Amino acid sequence: MLKTLAPFNFSECAAVQAAFAECPLLPLIQGWQQNSTSQPSGLPATAQLGWREGRVWALGTLTDNDVFNDATADNQNTWELGDVFEVFVRRSDSDAYTEAHVTPNAIRLHLKFPDRATIALARGGQLDGDILKQDPTQIIGQAWRTEAGWIGLLGVPLNATSGDPIRVSVCRYDAHRGSNTEPDVASTSNHAECDFHRPDDWPEYMIAP
């Protein structure tokens, strides 16, 4: 069940944390490592989910030794530029889904995919990924630094209401500055492969009354 949050000021970290206080902590994991001899990489992170006023809200508490993202404007390719807190949302009865990012400097990325086949076209160069970018002002994104890393908040609009089943996945990129090393990535979804665009893996939630 996705808890309906009480009203809160999304620009104040303490108010946000208070609003999510009763929401379960969801660990971000690397499911694709479970049947591998490789050890999971990366630092711990948790997410909390809620619903309010037509939005899925996600709060991420991210341990990070070097917090950065070099994005300077909304809708840049944030995942290529540093650390990212990321959410995927869709109605369970729809193949279309939204992907939203916020960076530690509160830069947003808003993408919409009409179906699950679209990501393969974009990755294969058969589709210009920029056409998937939507109005970033539709996404609420905030970020705050902490002693252990950073906190990210995303509010993502979804055409749903109380009682509707939806699927939500929360992910992170923990990048390494000045290194050729790939970012450490993790998700609340138990992905068998290291690919966040696997909608059937995303946990299903019912929106609470």
Side-chain angles (χ1 to χ4, degrees), residues 81-120:
L81 299 170
D83 302 321
V84 168
F85 180 59
E86 174 182 40
V87 179
F88 295 87
V89 300
R90 73 177 180 97
R91 291 179 57 95
S92 295
D93 59 2
S94 172
D95 213 25
Y97 62 92
T98 297
E99 177 182 353
H101 294 195
V102 68
T103 69
N105 50 333
I107 298 293
R108 298 163 295 184
L109 173 65
H110 182 194
L111 301 169
K112 283 193 176 179
F113 295 82
D115 54 49
R116 66 187 66 195
T118 301
I119 186 62

Side-chain angles (χ1 to χ4, degrees), residues 124-208:
Q126 299 163 275
L127 177 72
D128 181 355
D130 282 346
I131 70 172
L132 302 173
K133 293 178 179 178
Q134 307 294 311
D135 179 2
T137 65
Q138 294 178 358
I139 302 298
I140 294 173
Q142 297 283 353
W144 302 272
R145 300 294 181 96
T146 67
E147 290 186 1
W150 64 291
I151 290 171
L153 174 71
L154 283 165
V156 183
L158 184 65
N159 182 21
T161 190
S162 299
D164 287 344
I166 64 174
R167 290 188 178 268
V168 184
S169 185
V170 182
C171 313
R172 70 140 350 153
Y173 284 75
D174 182 7
H176 308 290
R177 195 194 315 258
S179 170
N180 293 324
T181 305
E182 291 293 315
D184 292 314
V185 297
S187 172
T188 54
S189 298
N190 188 21
H191 290 302
E193 299 178 15
C194 185
D195 183 358
F196 296 157
H197 290 262
R198 294 168 58 92
D200 291 338
D201 294 344
W202 303 344
E204 186 174 66
Y205 301 88
M206 195 79 70
I207 299 173

Side-chain angles (χ1 to χ4, degrees), residues 2 8 22-23 26 48 56 65 73-75 89 99-100 103 118 126 131 133 148 169 198:
L2 207 61
F8 63 96
E22 296 182 4
C23 299
L26 308 172
Q48 292 167 282
V56 175
N65 291 332
D74 289 337
N75 275 0
V89 300
E99 177 182 353
T103 69
T118 301
Q126 299 163 275
I131 70 172
K133 293 178 179 178
S169 185
R198 294 168 58 92

